[in-house]
Amino acid sequence: MKRRSILAFLIFVLVLTRVLSYAQSGDELRFYLRSDPKTFNPLLVADDASETIRYLTGGVLVRVNRQTQQLQPELATAWKLSKDGKSISFNLREHVYFSDGTPFSAQDVAYTVQHLMDPAVHSPTGDSFRSGSGEVRTDVPSPNRITISFPAPVAGMDKLFDHVAVLSSRSPKQEMAVLGPFYVADYKSGSYVLLKRNPNYWKRDSAGRQLPYLNSIRMDIQSNRDIEELKFRRGEIDLVNSLDSEYYDRLASTSAKLLHDAGPSLDSEQMWFNQVGNAPIPAYKKEWFRSTNFRRAISLGINRADLCRVVFALHARPAVGPVSPANKFWFNTKLQPQSFDPASALRFLQQDGFRREGSTLRDRDGHPVEFSIITNSGNKYRERMTTMIQLDLGNLGIHVNVVTLDFPSLIERITQSFNYEAALLGLVNDDLDPNAQMNVWLSSAENHQWNPSEKSPETNWEAEIDRLMRAQPDEGAGVGH
Amino acid sequence: MRIMRIFRHLETILATLLIGGFLSATLARLAPGFGADEQELDSRLSAESIRQIRESHAQERNILHFYFNYLKRAIHGDLGTSRSLGKPVRQLIADRLPITVRLCGLGLLVGWTVGLALAIAVVMAQVRVLDVFAAGLAGTFLSLPAAVLALLFVYFNAPASLAISSIVFPKVFSFSRNLLAQSYGLPHIITARAKGLGSARIFGWHVLPVAGPQMLALAGVSVSMALGAAIPVEALCGISGIGQLAWQAALGRDLSLLVTVTVLVTVVTLAANTGSDLAMDIFRGQQA
């Protein structure tokens, strides 16, 4: 498997002058959402647009500072993790009110956690906390204290609360009553979401002025990135969330002052081979894909530096593993990325009986080495990456076919029919702790893409990863503030 | 007699709707990727949640069962919930229909006005340069794909309804020009012109009655033309109308939404064609 962490930069490109002056729209900030938010219920958030709304409206107990990656108190003034990693206690802020005026208390946190962990709700946020079967208990000794106990240790439990927006247990407005800086004032499906300043927001700046400074945020729904760029250039929107490299360079060439490179993201691009036992592909290909030497050779045969240079205009860097350099705690700075070494690649292949015949590589039974890589159509970066991989591997005598599919077809192939040979996709990472990707790394997990739902680990290295991932939650207790 | 004809039209519309809805559901059901949900790739989801997501598609797998239930619910006004957008289909349609109606309405109005005015001017003026210019202009727009036109209008920050006009206008112009030219060549109109009848009178009293019924037929067709153009225009210009909804439904293999949008577009198209058929009848009846 090859992994490539992308410096795909950027959380936000700020038009500083515009954001500071709000010349276009008084004290309203305007930007685009790329799709309709699927839900305003913070417990059910699974898409980017809903996540943006949750971030701006939801009140959380603790917040991971996106710049320092440290945990900061929000609605909780202090918290303590138990030594066994199974429970956490919070001291809550007093005199806090929801946007509709309902008072906030530990009962609301208990209500939120019970809903979050209700198996019938199928909350992606709740699933992050699910490390073992059993009941989740909430003890409320006083209106400002709560202890939440899980049946098994949860790794990075305190940081996971960054995604848990507290619901009101008493408000008739249900999830529309919020504790964050803004509340949803208006929404028209497919058109816009309008957020207004929460008059009851608890936070104040150092001068004692109530936050937020903005009166409203208008997010028009616009999936066309060219229109977004055009509107940004014309000053009709104030910021662009998450730029790609091409777009970034285009703006940099004309309006460099408007850009702020926020550094690498947590996301990565990866390619994997289908190693599913009953996949409808020839047995000899399965044998290739299951061979460590074959996979290592492919990895050595791909010029990652070229991919970063040509496809991402140097806004990406070769990965050293699944953890992005943006992850300050988990990234190992001593590791070096896999080098491009076609000669070593051929040596690994020879160890498995592969041989060159003219310009074609053949396996020990004489089959020409040929496979297809599927990726999602419309993603020009992935399309270009697969084309470059095709060229690189062509130099080893491997014939690669590039197949682009629309997303539903692609998902069907990699999750249901397993009718594919190799895939190139991205791993979106919302969390700093690898525990959040438990469903990718555990061999028994559904999202263990190259061979999902193994009854028992089929390789030693998967067994080792399973062991480490399961051991991780037992590691830590801690105290905050 | 006319009432019987209206009934026959209604029967045809109903049958077409039922068959069209079923065919669109079948096509979506058979499309690769049906039943696959992007959410399944969410690395946070537990096996149980993924299983639940997959099971939620189970009711749609049997297409006959789905369609029967869909129709049963639709009779009571429940059009189901959009799987890809997570909202009731009825609400989505109600929110977006006015946008498409405005877009297409304005597009048709401008397209017809420009196309017809140009056709009349060309036929009545009979100036070669004007004819070549108008034919060239219409040919240029005719040869540009709707998506390219949409992007041009985005680039120049022009109203998207004009993109619809640009798609409708060349067809209206070509058809009207040929029709009017044919009508002006009829013996009784040549005679009228030779006798020195005013051009407005010739147009109103002699040309229009001949060309009118076919123009009305084109009016019906142009509605479906505009609706068809609304899909790429809305999708590319980021306009949240029915066209964009249709695009999203197709990409998301969203059965309930796709069937409803198909039925809606079919209703509008058939209603427009039926309307023009009936108008032609009335027109011809008056002439007789």
Side-chain angles (χ1 to χ4, degrees), chain A residues 36-38 45-46 54 122-125 127-128 130 187-191 221-224 227 230-231 234 236 406-409 411-412 414-416 425 428 430 436-440 446-447 449, chain B residues 32-50 52 54 61 83-87 91-92 95-96 99 151 154-157 235-238 240 244 250-253:
Chain A
D36 249 307
K38 283 188 182 176
V45 166
R54 179 173 71 179
H122 297 291
S123 161
T125 311
D127 281 354
S128 310
R130 239 178 272 284
Y187 163 59
K188 193 165 181 208
S189 157
S191 293
I221 295 155
Q222 178 56 264
S223 56
N224 188 327
I227 296 181
L230 213 61
K231 300 279 182 185
R234 288 178 184 150
E236 291 173 34
D406 72 341
F407 223 59
S409 310
I411 295 166
E412 184 195 38
I414 63 175
T415 62
Q416 292 173 27
L425 268 184
V428 176
D430 287 332
Q437 292 176 353
M438 196 72 104
N439 292 325
V440 174
E446 293 272 352
N447 273 318
Q449 298 299 1
Chain B
F34 175 81
D37 197 314
E38 201 175 325
Q39 233 190 309
E40 287 180 43
L41 298 184
D42 190 330
S43 60
R44 296 167 301 171
L45 285 178
S46 66
E48 175 57 24
S49 296
I50 292 175
Q52 200 273 337
R54 287 184 185 159
R61 292 202 183 277
R83 211 156 34 77
S84 57
L85 298 171
K87 294 181 181 66
Q91 183 204 327
L92 287 169
D95 284 348
R96 293 168 183 242
I99 295 169
L151 286 175
V154 167
Y155 187 77
F156 291 110
N157 210 17
L236 287 165
C237 297
S240 54
Q244 193 194 55
L251 287 183
R253 316 285 195 268

Side-chain angles (χ1 to χ4, degrees), chain A residues 193-214:
Chain A
V193 181
L194 181 67
L195 305 183
K196 289 244 165 105
R197 182 177 187 271
N198 175 2
N200 298 321
Y201 188 49
W202 59 273
K203 210 182 256 186
R204 291 177 182 274
D205 67 8
S206 53
R209 188 178 159 195
Q210 192 190 20
L211 297 175
Y213 299 124
L214 289 167

Side-chain angles (χ1 to χ4, degrees), chain B residues 5 34 36 42 58 111 115 129 171 194-195 203-204 206 223 245 253 266:
Chain B
R5 202 171 153 76
F34 175 81
D42 190 330
V129 178
K171 292 174 181 107
K195 285 184 173 175
F203 182 77
H206 299 287
V223 172
L245 204 58
R253 316 285 195 268
T266 314

Side-chain angles (χ1 to χ4, degrees), chain A residues 69 96 105 124 146 210 228 261 347 370 431-432:
Chain A
Q69 297 182 356
V96 173
S105 75
I146 183 167
Q210 192 190 20
E228 189 178 31
D261 187 343
R347 273 199 298 279
E370 179 178 0
D431 210 302
L432 298 170

Side-chain angles (χ1 to χ4, degrees), chain A residues 350-461:
Chain A
Q350 280 160 3
Q351 283 175 24
D352 271 15
F354 290 92
R355 63 184 191 282
R356 286 286 292 260
E357 273 184 19
S359 61
T360 305
L361 186 75
R362 292 185 184 274
D363 68 7
R364 62 165 67 92
D365 297 325
H367 298 112
V369 180
E370 179 178 0
F371 62 84
S372 57
I373 303 176
I374 58 170
T375 193
N376 55 319
S377 57
N379 186 319
K380 56 189 171 191
Y381 298 99
R382 289 193 187 134
E383 287 171 3
R384 287 174 197 166
M385 281 171 77
T386 45
T387 305
M388 288 196 65
I389 290 170
Q390 188 181 40
L391 290 172
D392 284 344
L393 298 183
N395 294 332
L396 295 177
I398 298 171
H399 185 75
V400 173
N401 299 305
V402 175
V403 180
T404 58
L405 300 167
D406 72 341
F407 223 59
S409 310
L410 184 80
I411 295 166
E412 184 195 38
R413 291 210 185 196
I414 63 175
T415 62
Q416 292 173 27
S417 69
F418 304 113
N419 187 10
Y420 74 101
E421 292 173 340
L424 178 81
L425 268 184
L427 192 63
V428 176
N429 220 342
D430 287 332
D431 210 302
L432 298 170
D433 197 296
N435 183 61
Q437 292 176 353
M438 196 72 104
N439 292 325
V440 174
W441 301 118
L442 287 185
S443 59
S444 57
E446 293 272 352
N447 273 318
H448 190 68
Q449 298 299 1
W450 53 97
N451 192 6
S453 310
E454 295 172 36
K455 287 195 171 61
S456 59
E458 292 181 13
T459 60
N460 290 337
W461 58 271

